[in-house]
Amino acid sequence: MDLNVKPGDDFYTYANGVWLRNNPVPAKETRWGSFNQLRDFNIIAVRTILNDAAAKTNAQAGSVERRVGDFYAAAMDSAAIEKLGYEPIKADLERIKGIKDVNGVLNEVANLRTSGTAAPMFGFFVGQDRKNVEVMIPQLSQGGTTLPDRDYYLKNDARSTKIQDDYKKYIATLFTLTGVDQATAQKNAETIFNIEKQLAATQMARVEMRDPHKTYNKFAVADFSKTTSNMDWKSLMTKMKVSGEDTILVNNPKFFIELNGLLAATPVANWQTYLQWNVLKSAAPYLSSDFVNANFAFTQTLTGQKVQTPRWQRMSQLTDGTIGELLGQLYVAKHFKPEAKARMDEMIANLIKAYEIRIKGLEWMSPETKDKALAKLATFRPKVGYPEKWKTYDGLAISRNSFFQNVRNAGQWGYNDMVSQLGKPVDRTKWGMTPPTVNAYYSPVMNEIVFPAGILQFPFFDPNADDAVNYGGIGAVIGHEISHGFDDSGSQYDKDGNLRNWWTAEDRDRFMQRANQLVEQFNGYTVLDTIHVNGKLTLGENIGDLGGLNAAYEAFKMTKQGKSKKKIDGFTPDQRFFLAWAQVWRTNILPETAAQLILTDTHSPGMYRTIGAPVNMDAWYKAFNVKPGEKLYKKPEDRIRIW
């Protein structure tokens, strides 16, 4: 803490100032804060597990330990990887050269997807139908671009044009590494950039994409094909291993109409180049060091990261991302304690109780809508720690001697696993994060809140800490995830997870009035020179923080410590609660990364998450005796109260 600063002037620095000064961003990172420290601690724990598993060469064939150990050992065998150069993708690049016509282009798009190689042109996945959540349905989404957001292609300020130039250099470099001459490689880069720019221009912006109704467009497959004369979706979906499905969901139909025109207007030779690029960029992190280094050089432009993340860390993350429920079994056996689960279950129950009290007490909501909100709250399903039913990855071949092939096999296995869900009941035991993940999520279609084992550690959670610290940390995270069920987007789903209105028109208006005040508050925060927080893009997360911290405070007040005035280390229980919250969000960040996240991240920067919710809470003013005239002071009537 920096006690020279008044909490009412700058609560972020008051709570974190000395830590921020003493903890610059390490060279291998792009930001450094509580999340990153815990992720770092976790990845080191994961490395120990992986090294042990890789060393156990006598582990039984097919056992969890053997498969995890073989995957990691192959990933760390840099000598073998170096020797291969770009050999693993030569056949793909050659095959693409043989494409003759638009039909050949589309066949290759399907082939790259089903073989787990790349996902060119558009997005495709299988997921729950948001208006009929018991049914799995094929879904198409806008895509086909490489840069983190469509704005990178469409803006021409200095920051964006530098990224565009470096991106073209990156494309050219990867082509030259496969033996293409410099002039052709540069021409390829222009071709690819132009195709991607045209695709970017027809994509919806992220703020629009947050509207679940706007992105819900259901078509009969035959009718959708009528809008895209060059793409017959029945035949294309069969090639993508989807058969017998007569309906499809599309998030941006206009994108596909434009793509259809682009298919015919663009020479086949240019599509060949574009498809080769999709193979190259997807493979680059897993090929020899020339490719890996070129990939990192471009990452540096985007994020400002100083040195490459060490190989062991990249490969540990890859193992977690690829076979996370095998690795997860070894992780929870070692790092997840039953008492942590018991304490979490108790806190979740308290937070739901607190939320119920708060909903009942809302002065702006009618009894009719309150009943529906309470019914939704009562059907929330919490998941803590790890899945009750582990994924087995049956049929996924993992060899200790072929890293690239393992990655490819996993991509193919994952694709097949996804399409195999069509026609089956929705699997409600499934998790969207792996156990070692330092994060949490809410799923509107499942109406569930999920907390992996990885986040259930200090500074978010410590079974031995006082309640103030736990409720200000993990309690507020639990409250945040519950609030996602009631944010501007999640609140459009009913208790069963269906996208269906359960509000009266008046209540919805009153809710959106309050939400818009929060948009204004966050629009006023500056991140970097002229860049401001995007209040609309971050609205869901900001409602999550405001609702979550209020509910966590309400739940904290039910505890023995919450009812007392007893100081610890000179701080009252309420002060400790808000300090725990503030210290969770402390972060140093590189300017390049900050600029990127403003475009792509739905969360506000840490410093503004720290103050964004407390300045709307009377309890914070009381805890720190914040008075008019101090910089963060808001008049009581201006404080935003939603949940």
Side-chain angles (χ1 to χ4, degrees), residues 104-114 118 120-122 240 275:
V105 171
L106 291 171
N107 285 346
E108 187 56 37
V109 167
N111 173 52
L112 291 175
R113 271 209 151 68
T114 55
M121 243 179 230
F122 53 82
M240 285 168 27
L275 291 171

Side-chain angles (χ1 to χ4, degrees), residues 448-459:
E448 65 182 16
I449 45 175
V450 186
F451 305 94
I455 197 172
L456 304 180
Q457 300 173 72
F458 186 79

Side-chain angles (χ1 to χ4, degrees), residues 157-219:
D157 57 280
R159 197 180 264 120
S160 304
T161 47
K162 172 162 175 20
I163 288 171
Q164 290 165 13
D165 292 343
D166 284 4
Y167 176 45
K168 289 175 196 170
K169 276 184 212 144
Y170 172 48
I171 298 174
T173 304
L174 289 197
F175 274 100
T176 55
L177 289 175
T178 65
V180 172
D181 65 83
Q182 190 63 40
T184 309
Q186 279 170 329
K187 188 170 148 276
N188 288 353
E190 290 299 333
T191 299
I192 289 155
F193 187 82
N194 289 335
I195 290 177
E196 292 191 353
K197 186 175 179 175
Q198 287 171 284
L199 293 172
T202 185
Q203 290 178 1
M204 271 200 246
R206 281 174 194 260
V207 169
E208 266 188 292
M209 296 291 291
R210 291 193 67 251
D211 180 340
H213 286 283
K214 207 173 248 182
T215 55
Y216 186 95
N217 304 285
K218 201 181 222 176
F219 291 90

Side-chain angles (χ1 to χ4, degrees), residues 62-63 67 241 322-323 326 391-399 405-417:
S63 66
R67 299 173 82 195
K241 300 192 174 183
T322 310
I323 46 171
L326 295 179
K391 221 187 242 187
T392 57
Y393 304 89
D394 281 348
L396 169 58
I398 297 172
S399 150
Q405 197 53 50
N406 289 341
V407 173
R408 217 13 101 82
N409 291 349
Q412 192 168 6
W413 187 91
Y415 184 86
N416 290 337
D417 181 55

Side-chain angles (χ1 to χ4, degrees), residues 421-440:
Q421 293 167 32
L422 288 165
K424 290 184 189 159
V426 170
D427 179 2
R428 296 195 174 272
T429 65
K430 212 170 70 191
W431 279 52
M433 282 177 183
T434 66
T437 306
V438 181
N439 212 335

Side-chain angles (χ1 to χ4, degrees), residues 100 105 109 261 298 379 484 554 561 634 643:
K100 302 277 187 292
V105 171
V109 167
F298 182 56
T379 53
H484 274 313
E554 182 97 36
Q561 185 191 11
K634 279 175 102 169
W643 293 106

